[in-house]
Amino acid sequence: AMSSITSLGIFTGGWASYNKYSLLSSMRVVSQLVSYEIPLILSLVGVVMLTGSLSLDEMVNAQNVPFILLQPTGFFIFFIASLAEISRSPFDLLEADSELVAGYNIEYSGMKFATFYLTEYCEAIVLSTLTATLFLGGWQGPWLPPLVWLLLKITLVFSLIVWIRATLPGLRIDQVMGFAWKFLLPLAVLNILLTGSF
């Protein structure tokens, strides 16, 4: 649901600015979000199978061993697909500077421009929180208070997201789409089959 709302907002923002580069960028992002939504959801099926519940609280309590060790493939798919969902590097086709002159927000400035960027970083923090909760044991940990453990894990994942953005080059649109449909989707289905068999 969040992805659909994000897609609608990005597409409307690109279309409403009456700029061909903005429209092209927004269409790219919408196709990317739709493509990566499927492996993202399928990557969580393994976690749900191990937990037996859709409750985040139950998922954390079930992690005597963090799920990143029991579901490394699921973590890989979830993290990569989530980066694509929030359009972070190397999936930042919406901001392909060399092609699209900054992307769908090229015609925006001031508060509207700040809102687009604030949304991007809010999505990165939400991704960090979900990753820490689903795969890193959430607030569990020795000695320190639970809130401190959760904040440390969120900070670790967010730092990884920033590091990836500063390190990896961007991808072409055909590479991004092919990676979702030809690699991540079959890998997610295989992960579900292996989890079910074990």
Side-chain angles (χ1 to χ4, degrees):
M2 285 299 293
S3 176
S4 302
I5 295 171
T6 304
S7 302
L8 183 61
I10 288 175
F11 184 76
T12 305
W15 170 78
S17 62
Y18 299 106
N19 183 297
K20 61 184 176 182
Y21 296 112
S22 298
L23 180 60
L24 180 59
S25 173
S26 63
M27 291 175 68
R28 278 184 175 186
V29 174
V30 170
S31 63
Q32 176 178 308
L33 291 175
V34 170
S35 298
Y36 280 86
E37 187 80 12
I38 301 170
L40 176 69
I41 297 301
L42 292 179
S43 68
L44 297 178
V45 173
V47 174
V48 173
M49 292 170 73
L50 291 175
T51 307
S53 173
L54 291 173
S55 168
L56 293 177
D57 188 51
E58 292 295 328
M59 290 178 183
V60 172
N61 292 332
Q63 294 185 58
N64 297 321
V65 177
F67 283 159
I68 191 173
L69 301 176
L70 299 177
Q71 283 283 302
T73 307
F75 168 76
F76 171 76
I77 298 169
F78 175 81
F79 189 71
I80 296 299
S82 296
L83 287 178
E85 285 287 310
I86 64 174
S87 298
R88 295 289 295 190
S89 183
F91 304 101
D92 54 346
L93 294 177
L94 77 166
E95 297 173 2
D97 296 343
S98 60
E99 305 169 33
L100 299 174
V101 202
Y104 68 93
N105 52 18
I106 184 174
E107 297 290 345
Y108 293 95
S109 63
M111 194 62 191
K112 293 178 182 176
F113 183 79
T115 303
F116 279 120
Y117 265 73
L118 182 62
T119 301
E120 180 181 339
Y121 279 94
C122 286
E123 288 176 334
I125 292 172
V126 169
L127 166 59
S128 303
T129 306
L130 281 175
T131 304
T133 303
L134 295 171
F135 291 98
L136 301 180
W139 52 82
Q140 294 181 350
W143 305 307
L144 299 175
L147 180 60
V148 175
W149 272 114
L150 183 60
L151 291 175
L152 284 174
K153 292 172 184 178
I154 291 171
T155 304
L156 176 68
V157 177
F158 187 80
S159 300
L160 178 61
I161 293 172
V162 174
W163 181 34
I164 288 173
R165 182 173 186 133
T167 305
L168 296 179
L171 300 172
R172 298 192 316 262
I173 181 67
D174 60 311
Q175 293 173 325
V176 169
M177 302 304 287
F179 185 69
W181 292 107
K182 297 175 184 176
F183 181 72
L184 283 189
L185 181 59
L187 189 62
V189 173
L190 180 62
N191 183 57
I192 292 173
L193 294 175
L194 291 176
T195 304
S197 64
F198 284 114

